[in-house]
């Protein structure tokens, strides 16, 4: 029996598929059981907070989840002893204007994979994974997406037209970590507008705050009508394995 059981929450089937591919290429699915659940982010918000924005119950999210999810379809899922919770969402599926304060609160709430869970928001969608491959052309570092192309359908057409959707058999663990590094560097640049720190970090989470990134992205979008492309879900393997496998930190030193 596998010791670790992951609850993977997404809003779109393609998100679930790509996250599972990313994890499988890092051998996570060989060591972890992964259960999938689909829900809108605002549905989860309404489970956690009341109309005044106060937490309904002071308990870990998994207990809120078990209390709120009444469907017979998820009866077996609710009985699992989850050790990690991952939430992967696309900005294009969110009302990032009207709900921006709620999204920010959820990013602060879902900030630990082994407690309430960790929320990853992709800009504009998880298909940004494929654009990350363009780093070797010098394009990804500065690539942004405009307002008219931020929807899932529009952005998928751009990715499909420029890159296509490559066979997952071409990816391996080394490639995934290289793509992860490029996304982390872009995250850091969004936060600080400086170069990636030339020193070993105890934990990438000490310098990358996804709640701050969300605020910076939305501000940049409102000021410029475009925002940097990011696939933060690429950080999931590091989130799961990074604490155990400190050798992975070597990937982020240049």
């Amino acid at each position: 029996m596998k010791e670790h059981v992951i609850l993977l929450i997404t809003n779109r089937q393609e998100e679930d598929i790509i996250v599972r591919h990313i994890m499988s290429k890092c051998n996570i699915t060989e060591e972890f059981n992964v259960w999938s659940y689909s829900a809108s982010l605002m549905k989860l918000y309404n489970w956690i907070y009341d109309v005044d924005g106060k937490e309904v119950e002071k308990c870990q999210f998994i207990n809120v989840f078990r209390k709120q999810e009444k469907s017979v379809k998820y009866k077996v899922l609710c009985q699992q002893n989850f050790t990690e919770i991952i939430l992967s969402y696309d900005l294009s599926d969110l009302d990032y204007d009207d709900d921006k304060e709620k999204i920010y609160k959820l990013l602060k709430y879902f900030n630990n994979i082994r407690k309430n869970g960790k929320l990853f928001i992709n800009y504009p969608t998880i298909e940004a994974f494929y654009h990350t491959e363009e780093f070797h052309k010098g394009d990804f570092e500065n690539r942004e997406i405009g307002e008219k192309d931020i929807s899932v359908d529009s952005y998928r057409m751009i990715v499909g037209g420029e890159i296509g959707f490559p066979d997952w058999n071409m990816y391996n663990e080394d490639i995934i970590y290289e793509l992860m590094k490029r996304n982390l560097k872009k995250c850091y640049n969004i936060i600080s507008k400086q170069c990636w720190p030339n020193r070993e970090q105890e934990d990438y989470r000490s310098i990358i705050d996804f709640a701050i990134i969300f605020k910076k992205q939305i501000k940049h979008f409102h000021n410029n009508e475009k925002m940097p492309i990011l696939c933060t879900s690429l950080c999931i393997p590091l989130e799961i394995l990074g604490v155990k496998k400190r050798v992975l930190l070597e990937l982020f030193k240049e």
Side-chain angles (χ1 to χ4, degrees):
M1 184 175 178
K2 297 178 181 178
E3 293 183 9
H4 291 266
V5 185
I6 295 173
L7 175 58
L8 173 58
I9 305 176
T10 63
N11 190 49
R12 186 164 58 95
Q13 186 178 22
E14 191 64 25
E15 292 171 292
D16 184 275
I17 292 170
I18 293 178
V19 170
R20 283 177 174 270
H21 275 308
I22 292 170
M23 291 194 294
S24 69
K25 293 303 177 180
C26 298
N27 302 313
I28 291 173
T29 49
E30 293 180 7
E31 302 176 22
F32 294 71
N33 278 322
V34 183
W35 291 72
S36 295
Y37 180 77
S38 179
S40 71
L41 197 57
M42 287 303 105
K43 176 180 179 179
L44 304 184
Y45 180 91
N46 291 330
W47 282 358
I48 299 165
Y49 298 103
D50 62 20
V51 292
D52 296 318
K54 297 179 180 179
E55 284 189 48
V56 176
E57 295 184 61
K58 294 290 184 180
C59 60
Q60 289 192 350
F61 172 71
I62 191 59
N63 294 320
V64 175
F65 177 83
R66 289 173 178 145
K67 181 177 180 179
Q68 294 289 342
E69 183 47 71
K70 305 294 186 181
S71 172
V72 175
K73 175 183 177 181
Y74 293 112
K75 182 178 180 180
V76 175
L77 182 148
C78 289
Q79 294 171 347
Q80 303 304 306
N81 293 317
F82 294 107
T83 53
E84 289 89 8
I85 301 174
I86 296 166
L87 304 94
S88 177
Y89 283 80
D90 293 341
L91 185 76
S92 61
D93 287 333
L94 307 175
D95 189 342
Y96 44 84
D97 277 331
D98 291 344
D99 292 335
K100 62 184 177 184
E101 293 304 322
K102 293 180 179 180
I103 297 168
Y104 180 77
K105 284 181 71 172
L106 288 173
L107 282 161
K108 301 297 284 187
Y109 177 87
F110 292 114
N111 68 354
N112 188 308
I113 197 170
R114 293 176 179 87
K115 291 184 180 179
N116 286 329
K118 188 65 175 273
L119 171 58
F120 299 85
I121 294 180
N122 299 294
Y123 304 89
T125 77
I126 198 168
E127 282 78 11
F129 170 88
Y130 300 106
H131 261 146
T132 307
E133 292 189 271
E134 298 294 281
F135 70 82
H136 64 278
K137 298 179 182 178
D139 179 55
F140 176 70
E141 295 289 341
N142 300 308
R143 187 67 184 265
E144 297 185 331
I145 191 76
E147 184 174 10
K148 67 182 180 65
D149 295 319
I150 207 168
S151 70
V152 173
D153 291 341
S154 181
Y155 184 60
R156 277 183 60 86
M157 285 184 64
I158 291 173
V159 173
E162 293 181 2
I163 303 167
F165 299 99
D167 187 338
W168 277 92
N169 289 324
M170 67 173 283
Y171 298 101
N172 57 34
E173 187 174 11
D174 290 340
I175 292 174
I176 293 295
Y177 282 121
E178 181 63 28
L179 301 183
M180 181 196 303
K181 181 172 71 172
R182 297 295 165 173
N183 268 277
L184 280 173
K185 286 190 174 184
K186 194 166 182 178
C187 285
Y188 182 77
N189 289 338
I190 289 170
I191 290 173
S192 68
K193 299 299 182 184
Q194 298 174 14
C195 297
W196 185 254
N198 188 23
R199 59 189 174 87
E200 182 175 347
Q201 297 291 334
E202 284 297 313
D203 190 332
Y204 88 96
R205 289 164 292 192
S206 67
I207 56 174
I208 301 296
D209 185 324
F210 290 126
I212 292 176
I213 288 172
F214 172 73
K215 278 198 167 184
K216 294 261 187 182
Q217 288 281 75
I218 297 304
K219 182 178 180 180
H220 185 90
F221 185 64
H222 285 158
N223 291 341
N224 302 281
E225 297 184 347
K226 57 185 178 181
M227 71 173 63
I229 289 169
L230 274 178
C231 179
T232 62
S233 292
L234 265 166
C235 299
I236 290 171
L238 185 62
E239 189 76 32
I240 296 172
L241 302 174
V243 175
K244 292 182 178 180
K245 299 185 178 181
R246 291 177 56 83
V247 69
L248 297 182
L249 294 169
E250 295 297 317
L251 290 164
F252 305 102
K253 294 198 300 182
E254 291 187 348

